[in-house]
Amino acid sequence: MNVDQTILDLSTLPISDRLRVVHAIWDSLPDDVDLSATPEQQAELDRRLAAHRSDPSTAISHDELMRRVQSRR
């Protein structure tokens, strides 16, 4: 199996099918897999949280996020 070719093939599927694949893969991970953020990811999360705390007005509500997502469909 060529993973790169599989990813390329999957990218041609409709979004709903790709989401099904994502969910199936996620659900297949063992319960004891380490899902910790890498140091780089943690640094980025910390940076974004600090930016939000310094100016919370830049955030949008969940309702607004969902409205924007729905408007793109």
Side-chain angles (χ1 to χ4, degrees):
M1 174 205 311
N2 180 323
V3 174
D4 291 328
Q5 183 61 49
T6 300
I7 292 170
L8 184 61
D9 293 344
L10 290 171
S11 70
T12 64
L13 292 173
I15 291 174
S16 61
D17 290 341
R18 285 186 272 164
L19 285 171
R20 286 180 54 208
V21 171
V22 168
H23 287 285
I25 291 171
W26 185 263
D27 289 345
S28 73
L29 296 176
D31 291 336
D32 61 347
V33 69
D34 182 10
L35 298 174
S36 302
T38 66
E40 294 82 11
Q41 291 168 327
Q42 189 61 53
E44 179 63 13
L45 291 169
D46 292 342
R47 183 194 68 74
R48 291 181 184 196
L49 182 57
H52 168 68
R53 286 184 174 153
S54 70
D55 186 5
S57 69
T58 61
I60 61 172
S61 69
H62 179 264
D63 290 339
E64 175 63 13
L65 171 65
M66 295 311 294
R67 187 192 65 72
R68 291 182 188 186
V69 168
Q70 293 299 324
S71 71
R72 289 186 172 187
R73 291 185 179 180

